[in-house]
């Protein structure tokens, strides 16, 4: 099977600070990969490099056959980045909904303005995705009338309405009150069950253990472990991974 995401020899510098160090990674279609690690280990930066919200300093990113070299320049390079972004949906820590637009208008904005989709087609697709996250009945509401969990579910519906090949989640529950986290994780479980390829930066170890096909652990800008959840959580190889999991287990008690 051909990998849908390929990352080769990826480095990222902010000034003199190297935050990603020679990352190489492949993700298969329909695979759910969770990325865990201490704050500052490079998880979110790696995610943001995949769709070029951060420009890699060195290396190659390929998403669904579109390959972008970090050294590229000019119109062709910008077009390749645009093509990659069309294939990747992104859900952020904050919800980034337009406050002046209704839920439905938030969800159709991307397909209509970026992809040029017919508005009737976009509305039908948006309503289907809002229904799938349990929020079709809120389609005419504005974001200020929604809870944090509902806002994040709308953000997921918005990303899905762009019909991406890969979904990127950057700590999607970190801004939520504890009682709202479950509703967002349940939607993400459904998206995974429906066969979407997903790369998820998360601190929710229970979600990683239950849903992920693979768990990657980052430390100091490198992938220090890459294993299936059972092996990783039961028999971590790197002491940094063991310390991370031990802290999680203490938090469960």
């Amino acid at each position: 099977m051909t990998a849908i995401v390929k990352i080769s020899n990826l480095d990222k510098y902010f000034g003199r600070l190297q935050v990603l160090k020679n990352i190489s990674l492949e993700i298969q279609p329909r695979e759910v990969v969770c990325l865990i690690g201490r704050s500052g280990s490079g998880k979110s930066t790696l995610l943001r490099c995949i769709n070029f919200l951060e420009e890699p300093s060195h290396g190659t990113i390929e998403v669904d056959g579109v390959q972008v070299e970090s050294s590229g320049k000019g119109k062709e390079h910008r077009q390749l980045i645009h093509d990659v972004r069309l294939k990747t949906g992104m859900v952020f820590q904050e919800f980034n909904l337009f406050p002046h637009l209704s839920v439905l208008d938030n969800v159709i904005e991307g397909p209509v303005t970026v992809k040029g989709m017919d508005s009737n087609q976009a509305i039908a697709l948006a309503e289907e995705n809002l229904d799938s996250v349990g929020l079709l009945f809120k389609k005419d509401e504005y974001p200020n009338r929604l809870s944090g969990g509902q806002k994040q579910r709308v953000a997921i519906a918005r990303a899905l309405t762009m019909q991406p090949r890969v979904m990127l989640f950057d700590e999607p529950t970190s801004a939520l009150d504890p009682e709202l986290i479950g509703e967002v994780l349940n939607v993400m479980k459904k998206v995974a069950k429906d066969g979407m390829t997903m790369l998820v930066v998360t601190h929710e170890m229970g979600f990683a253990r239950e849903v992920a096909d693979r768990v990657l652990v980052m430390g100091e800008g490198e992938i220090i472990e890459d294993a299936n959840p059972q092996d990783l959580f039961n028999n971590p190889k790197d002491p940094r991974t063991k310390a991370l999991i031990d802290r999680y287990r203490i938090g469960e008690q």
Side-chain angles (χ1 to χ4, degrees):
M1 186 182 295
T2 302
I4 193 168
V5 177
K6 297 180 183 178
I7 301 169
S8 303
N9 307 118
L10 177 66
D11 295 324
K12 175 62 182 175
Y13 288 86
F14 290 108
R16 294 183 178 181
L17 177 65
Q18 186 174 10
V19 294
L20 295 177
K21 303 171 184 176
N22 197 32
I23 301 284
S24 292
L25 170 67
E26 292 192 356
I27 299 172
Q28 303 301 317
R30 304 172 69 92
E31 192 173 27
V32 178
V33 177
C34 282
L35 197 56
I36 66 174
R38 297 183 65 178
S39 296
S41 59
K43 307 182 300 297
S44 293
T45 301
L46 173 57
L47 211 67
R48 292 169 67 86
C49 282
I50 292 173
N51 67 355
F52 288 83
L53 290 175
E54 297 288 354
E55 186 83 27
S57 304
H58 178 264
T60 304
I61 305 284
E62 182 177 331
V63 179
D64 194 32
V66 178
Q67 186 179 97
V68 189
E69 299 281 351
S70 62
S71 57
K73 295 281 189 298
K75 184 177 180 180
E76 182 179 353
H77 181 69
R78 291 193 298 273
Q79 182 61 50
L80 288 172
I81 290 174
H82 176 74
D83 293 344
V84 163
R85 287 174 175 165
L86 287 179
K87 292 174 179 288
T88 54
M90 183 116 181
V91 178
F92 300 88
Q93 297 177 34
E94 300 294 339
F95 324 114
N96 295 335
L97 300 180
F98 294 112
H100 63 290
L101 297 180
S102 69
V103 164
L104 182 63
D105 287 339
N106 263 283
V107 176
I108 69 171
E109 178 73 13
V112 171
T113 61
V114 178
K115 297 182 74 173
M117 188 181 292
D118 173 77
S119 60
N120 289 329
Q121 181 186 356
I123 288 169
L125 190 58
E127 290 182 341
E128 178 184 330
N129 284 314
L130 284 170
D131 190 40
S132 75
V133 302
L135 287 175
L136 182 57
F137 73 105
K138 293 284 191 181
K139 69 177 184 177
D140 296 320
E141 295 280 8
Y142 285 79
N144 66 353
R145 299 287 299 272
L146 303 179
S147 70
Q150 289 172 335
K151 290 176 184 177
Q152 195 61 293
R153 285 152 62 195
V154 170
I156 293 171
R158 177 179 60 183
L160 291 172
T161 302
M162 288 293 287
Q163 298 177 301
R165 297 299 311 278
V166 179
M167 284 283 284
L168 309 174
F169 294 86
D170 187 9
E171 298 191 38
T173 60
S174 64
L176 299 178
D177 294 333
E179 66 270 17
L180 301 176
I181 290 172
E183 67 183 68
V184 173
L185 293 179
N186 285 337
V187 167
M188 292 171 63
K189 290 174 188 177
K190 182 179 185 299
V191 172
K193 188 175 181 181
D194 289 343
M196 176 62 69
T197 307
M198 295 168 56
L199 181 57
V200 184
V201 173
T202 185
H203 292 292
E204 300 293 335
M205 301 292 184
F207 175 85
R209 172 175 268 169
E210 178 183 350
V211 180
D213 298 299
R214 288 159 60 203
V215 179
L216 310 182
V217 185
M218 289 198 68
E220 299 172 340
E222 300 176 295
I223 295 173
I224 59 175
E225 289 210 46
D226 178 351
N228 69 61
Q230 183 175 351
D231 289 345
L232 186 109
F233 284 100
N234 293 336
N235 188 29
K237 301 289 192 295
D238 191 288
R240 290 168 290 181
T241 305
K242 186 177 186 305
L244 190 71
I245 293 170
D246 286 346
R247 281 200 300 274
Y248 158 67
R249 287 175 177 150
I250 290 170
E252 277 191 322
Q253 295 172 3

